[in-house]
Amino acid sequence: MRTLDLVASREINSTANLKRLGIDAVQSFDCLPRFIDRYAVARTVSPDGPILVSGGVALNEQQCKGIAEGVAPLVSKQRPAIFITGAKTNPAVEDKKQYELMCSILPALQFSEAATVGEWLEIISAGSVLVSGRFHHTIAAASLLTPVVCLPSNTMKIEGICSMLGLNAPIPVGLESRSNIITRGITQALDGDSPTISSDTLTEILALGERNFDDL
């Protein structure tokens, strides 16, 4: 019989689900902030940087177009919008289609496919704000002090990390005024009024990430 000596959950909603199932899970966190900290990736605030956009596993055509509508009013020659993607293995196959859907509303949306994790983190660090429905994009931005306008995923995992990191909750699915909320969220970020991770919270999630390696 095979058994697990440790069940470590990377966000609070998954931990709660495991405990409801009678599984004694340990609260941990994703290891990405530890990677960023270990390799001393610069945490820079870039209020004049581009608006970054990513896809999401749960985004449909209407939602992709709604994102573009929300981003469009704030795009200019001085502040471009960039769709970011890229993965060494298991790339998100839906990203290209989602980018094309957004371009049907926002033709000026640029496309950037990072070749390495370092390049991906540099792009996120240089952004003024990230609009994202992806789990690791959101964690990376929060860890690098880039404000995030979050969208929900296919589970409650992004809601979980937003709660743990002190970020605004994801915009609810199906909300007709979603594009207006995205515009407002971006504007708040550009004005410096969007919540970002505190130093105390960063210290806490780094410690939680270490729990993934307990007893090893």
Side-chain angles (χ1 to χ4, degrees):
M1 179 182 292
R2 295 182 178 181
T3 61
L4 293 175
D5 294 325
L6 173 69
V7 177
S9 172
R10 59 188 177 172
E11 46 79 23
I12 56 175
N13 287 332
S14 292
T15 304
N17 286 336
L18 289 167
K19 289 186 179 297
R20 278 195 292 270
L21 293 170
I23 299 171
D24 187 18
V26 170
Q27 184 63 64
S28 67
F29 200 79
D30 192 87
C31 286
L32 181 55
R34 287 175 54 81
F35 177 91
I36 291 170
D37 190 65
R38 180 177 182 180
Y39 290 98
V41 180
R43 294 185 176 90
T44 57
V45 179
S46 306
D48 297 323
I51 298 170
L52 305 177
V53 182
S54 79
V57 68
L59 295 179
N60 59 33
E61 178 177 349
Q62 181 183 4
Q63 291 163 347
C64 288
K65 291 180 177 179
I67 291 169
E69 289 171 356
V71 172
L74 299 168
V75 174
S76 66
K77 289 183 178 179
Q78 293 73 34
R79 193 188 301 280
I82 304 174
F83 185 100
I84 56 172
T85 185
K88 186 175 182 179
T89 57
N90 301 318
V93 295
E94 65 271 16
D95 271 2
K96 199 66 179 290
K97 178 62 176 178
Q98 292 176 359
Y99 168 70
E100 291 170 355
L101 288 168
M102 293 180 193
C103 280
S104 69
I105 302 296
L106 180 57
L109 181 63
Q110 300 175 24
F111 187 84
S112 179
E113 186 169 8
T116 66
V117 65
E119 182 182 347
W120 176 68
L121 291 172
E122 285 178 7
I123 294 168
I124 292 176
S125 179
S128 57
V129 60
L130 169 68
V131 181
S132 177
R134 293 210 179 275
F135 185 77
H136 284 108
H137 283 62
T138 301
I139 293 174
S143 299
L144 295 168
L145 302 182
T146 299
V148 191
V149 177
C150 292
L151 303 162
S153 186
N154 57 336
T155 70
M156 294 292 288
K157 60 190 177 186
I158 294 184
E159 284 83 350
I161 60 170
C162 284
S163 179
M164 295 178 75
L165 299 176
L167 306 180
N168 289 331
I171 298 169
V173 173
L175 202 62
E176 292 183 2
S177 59
R178 173 180 287 199
S179 60
N180 292 332
I181 297 175
I182 290 173
T183 303
R184 187 161 64 246
I186 295 171
T187 301
Q188 289 174 345
L190 299 181
D191 290 342
D193 295 329
S194 183
T196 54
I197 189 170
S198 69
S199 58
D200 287 345
T201 299
L202 180 59
T203 299
E204 180 182 347
I205 65 168
L206 289 172
L208 287 174
E210 191 172 350
R211 301 189 74 180
N212 293 311
F213 308 99
D214 285 355
D215 301 326
L216 293 182

